[in-house]
Amino acid sequence: FASSSRRAAVDDSPGTSSDDARTPPDVRSSFQYCVQRVRQHDYEAYLCTLALPKEHRLTAMALRAFNVETAQALGATKEPHLALMR
């Protein structure tokens, strides 16, 4: 039950429901990638983002996914210089 309600909340996001005809497939798949990354690595932010109004979810989820990626880049290498380049 919980996963279906979460999926419904994500499916109601801009670019994934009624906007499907106007949104290119690559944008939809990119958004789904952002959702997956945030849900896997920053679940609290994922839940908070779902509480936002529909018109703000897409932007907020992209920013949260960027945060996840940058946080992981710093921890992905032992060389600080390589982490900064990443």
Side-chain angles (χ1 to χ4, degrees), residues 17-74:
S17 60
S18 62
D19 294 336
D20 280 348
R22 294 180 287 166
T23 307
D26 58 327
V27 172
R28 279 179 283 170
S29 65
S30 296
F31 177 68
Q32 287 303 320
Y33 175 79
C34 290
V35 170
Q36 293 299 322
R37 296 294 289 175
V38 174
R39 185 167 54 186
Q40 289 173 353
H41 299 285
D42 193 357
Y43 193 69
E44 289 178 11
Y46 169 76
L47 293 176
C48 291
T49 303
L50 294 179
L52 292 173
K54 281 185 182 182
E55 61 270 9
H56 299 295
R57 283 187 206 152
L58 180 64
T59 304
M61 196 64 75
L63 287 172
R64 297 307 303 173
F66 178 74
N67 183 52
V68 166
E69 292 293 329
T70 55
Q72 288 183 341
L74 294 175

